[in-house]
Amino acid sequence: MNLDIVVLAAGKGTRMRSGQPKVLHKLAGKPLLQHVLDSAQKLSPDSVSVVYGFGGDQVKEQITQPDILWVEQREQNGTGHAVAQALPGLANDSKVLVLYGDVPLTLSETLTGLLEKVQSENSIAVLTCTLDNPDGYGRMVRNPDGNVVGIVEQKDASTEQLLISEINTGIMVIPAVLLKKWIPELSNENAQGEYYLTDIIQLAAQQGISISTHQPKSELEIEGINSRTQLARMERIYQQSLCDKHMDQGVTFLDPSRVDIRGTLTTGIDVTIDINVVFEGNVELGSNVQIAPNCIIKDAFIGDNTQIHANSVIDQATVTENCSIGPFARLRPGAELADGAWVGNFVEIKKSKIGEGSKVNHLSYIGDATLGERVNIGAGTITCNYDGTNKFETIMKNDVFIGSNSSLVAPVTISDNATVAAGSTITKNVPKDALGIARGKQRNVENWKKR
Ligand code: UD1
Ligand code: MG
């Protein structure tokens, strides 16, 4: 059977008290709905429909993944009504997996286990969970033989049914033909005046359709987000689980409760990560990388044995092996450090290559520049790369020495083994082995009377 996935995401999320739809709130830097879509994608579905309502434009703007069938539900009249809006997009011979846009951490393995239970048009499957505190959830009602015969919502349940601890997670698999037959039969005569998707379970039981259940490994997989408190709690638990995986791979966190991984982090072994480090996007760390406190590292590659000192910010940069960065360094997009390069405190590097063993140790701006090997940049050196309209390049070849507080007005080339005298404003190329000196001459006025 084909697989069609329907993600219910029309709810406003009143308890978030937010101008943006709940499913766009972020867990580990990624919208809740995107987490769900990413696990859905792992199942290689034939189609994915997202039922949206409140803030639909914002949702479509932020979830840019192609191939989504966007289905509008103008009024939120219940989960059955939500699925009804998606019915026209479902193939008759497919099985339909219903997911919730605000339940972000369901593992694709769990969903695969659930999907395996539906092999024909005569069976459906519900993901359930047995909870110590089932409060608020729909309860699974079973007959004395243990077969599921229905789901009763908390608000419609009898005192006896409220004692049932097996709950409906809301995630289920139903053949499309059955959905198309049963959805139009749903009624809204219940405590909430809504069309409940869960009422199809009773119809299935009455019509002799087999109803299987499957449970996730952890309760976290089925937890929905309704408030910012729940979101913050889930964030910490999720972050801890990410850190646990990295620790198993040979990473030391000085305190895993004070690190955030918002994206994909891959690491070698013997990596040490101090507190308050934030990783965003795709970050790859080699072995023996050390990261001091308060660093932000986004979409970057950091090679083996590199040390990143405190308070450094690295964004879309490539740093190879044995480098030293910071404290207080900023690598901006397009910064590339070759083996053994050093970038020290209060240095900003943008779209520049720093060659092997080269050093930019203090208070410098290097932009649109290419540095060869063993270049030494004195404190306070600035590449003047911008004339207000265009950007220009600065080239420094091997073994160049730039004296402190120099301005290199691009476009300009400093050739091999050349030296620039401290305090120079260099506007012309400096040839190989030469000294470039461009500064006002000092004049001393003798016996100067102080005011
Ligand atoms: C639902 C289930 C309940 C289950 C619980 C699990 C029904 C009737 N009840 O209850 O058995 O234990 O989830 O969390 O299905 N949504 C729409 N359109 C609507 C209504 C809801 O898109 O008109 C979406 C919501 O955005 C949400 C999901 O469906 O993602 C569930 O809706 P919610 O209102 O939270 O259902 P519950 O009452 O919690
Ligand atoms: Mg709910």
Side-chain angles (χ1 to χ4, degrees):
M1 289 170 101
N2 280 354
L3 172 60
D4 288 338
I5 296 182
V6 176
V7 183
L8 305 188
K12 180 169 188 297
T14 314
R15 279 175 282 169
M16 297 300 280
R17 292 193 180 274
S18 176
Q20 68 170 349
K22 173 166 73 174
V23 290
L24 290 183
H25 282 258
K26 288 178 178 154
L27 178 77
K30 188 159 85 175
L32 295 173
L33 177 57
Q34 191 65 57
H35 281 271
V36 178
L37 293 171
D38 289 351
S39 345
Q41 217 50 54
K42 287 192 192 145
L43 305 170
S44 315
D46 296 285
S47 82
V48 178
S49 304
V50 176
V51 182
Y52 69 94
F54 173 78
D57 291 341
Q58 291 179 65
V59 178
K60 284 194 237 172
E61 212 169 87
Q62 285 198 38
I63 307 288
T64 51
Q65 180 173 329
D67 303 335
I68 290 180
L69 301 171
W70 293 100
V71 178
E72 186 174 11
Q73 184 193 22
R74 285 209 188 80
E75 277 174 66
Q76 279 76 65
N77 292 330
T79 48
H81 181 255
V83 172
Q85 313 309 305
L87 285 184
L90 305 177
N92 282 333
D93 56 351
S94 66
K95 47 181 162 182
V96 180
L97 169 65
V98 176
L99 300 174
Y100 287 179
D102 56 0
V103 179
L105 295 183
T106 321
L107 296 176
S108 51
E109 295 92 275
T110 301
L111 297 174
T112 306
L114 184 70
L115 285 163
E116 276 165 5
K117 309 232 163 175
V118 176
Q119 297 294 354
S120 78
E121 287 170 3
N122 292 319
S123 57
I124 67 176
V126 181
L127 188 70
T128 71
C129 194
T130 305
L131 299 178
D132 292 339
N133 177 11
D135 200 41
Y137 287 98
R139 310 294 207 281
M140 302 305 297
V141 183
R142 291 176 183 267
N143 67 14
D145 296 334
N147 297 321
V148 174
V149 291
I151 295 176
V152 61
E153 290 306 296
Q154 162 113 1
K155 287 184 180 150
D156 302 290
S158 65
T159 337
E160 211 171 273
Q161 287 169 328
L162 287 175
L163 297 174
I164 300 171
S165 57
E166 186 189 9
I167 61 98
N168 168 35
T169 66
I171 295 170
M172 48 182 87
V173 183
I174 312 119
V177 275
L178 297 182
L179 270 183
K180 289 183 180 186
K181 187 164 84 178
W182 293 331
I183 291 274
E185 292 177 23
L186 296 178
S187 113
N188 64 352
E189 281 164 28
N190 50 50
Q192 302 183 81
E194 287 185 356
Y195 295 92
Y196 292 165
L197 178 63
T198 44
D199 284 350
I200 65 171
I201 305 301
Q202 199 183 339
L203 293 173
Q206 283 162 2
Q207 294 174 28
I209 302 287
S210 108
I211 305 166
S212 329
T213 59
H214 183 65
Q215 296 219 347
K217 283 207 191 86
S218 132
E219 286 175 24
L220 196 63
E221 287 189 54
I222 58 113
E223 231 174 85
I225 298 297
N226 296 304
S227 67
R228 294 182 199 244
T229 310
Q230 283 175 341
L231 183 60
R233 212 188 110 243
M234 184 178 279
E235 177 80 39
R236 278 340 310 160
I237 298 173
Y238 183 57
Q239 290 295 340
Q240 179 70 51
S241 75
L242 294 177
C243 286
D244 289 348
K245 279 187 203 149
H246 287 296
M247 289 190 276
D248 290 344
Q249 303 289 320
V251 176
T252 293
F253 291 97
L254 277 102
D255 181 356
S257 69
R258 284 184 288 171
V259 166
D260 273 48
I261 301 168
R262 301 175 189 153
T264 311
L265 175 67
T266 51
T267 65
I269 56 164
D270 294 320
V271 168
T272 302
I273 298 170
D274 213 319
I275 60 166
N276 297 336
V277 175
V278 177
F279 297 99
E280 290 179 38
N282 270 315
V283 176
E284 201 176 320
L285 306 177
S287 291
N288 295 308
V289 168
Q290 306 220 352
I291 305 175
N294 306 325
C295 293
I296 302 174
I297 304 178
K298 180 179 176 191
D299 293 318
F301 173 89
I302 313 289
D304 294 349
N305 309 315
T306 284
Q307 301 213 359
I308 300 171
H309 301 283
N311 301 297
S312 296
V313 178
I314 298 177
D315 180 9
Q316 296 171 62
T318 305
V319 177
T320 55
E321 298 165 17
N322 308 304
C323 292
S324 171
I325 296 161
F328 297 99
R330 179 173 181 209
L331 301 188
R332 290 174 51 202
E336 290 177 32
L337 273 58
D339 197 350
W342 285 49
V343 170
N345 41 220
F346 307 107
V347 171
E348 174 181 349
I349 311 266
K350 188 219 76 170
K351 203 176 170 195
S352 294
K353 292 190 170 122
I354 312 297
E356 232 178 278
S358 288
K359 294 185 168 134
V360 192
N361 271 341
H362 330 267
L363 301 154
S364 288
Y365 171 63
I366 303 293
D368 302 299
T370 304
L371 279 62
E373 298 173 9
R374 299 170 303 279
V375 170
N376 187 80
I377 304 283
T381 297
I382 307 290
T383 53
C384 309
N385 60 332
Y386 185 49
D387 65 2
T389 311
N390 296 303
K391 301 266 169 71
F392 299 96
E393 271 193 79
T394 303
I395 296 169
M396 290 173 245
K397 302 219 167 139
N398 295 341
D399 302 295
V400 158
F401 182 97
I402 309 289
S404 294
N405 205 31
S406 294
S407 306
L408 307 172
V409 182
V412 70
T413 297
I414 319 294
S415 289
D416 290 271
N417 202 39
T419 301
V420 165
S424 292
T425 298
I426 297 292
T427 54
K428 288 186 237 149
N429 293 347
V430 181
K432 189 168 183 283
D433 300 320
L435 167 72
I437 175 160
R439 63 186 179 213
K441 277 207 184 107
Q442 182 171 341
R443 183 170 65 98
N444 291 340
V445 179
E446 301 295 332
N447 301 318
W448 177 252
K449 279 206 184 70
K450 288 199 175 133
R451 285 191 189 126

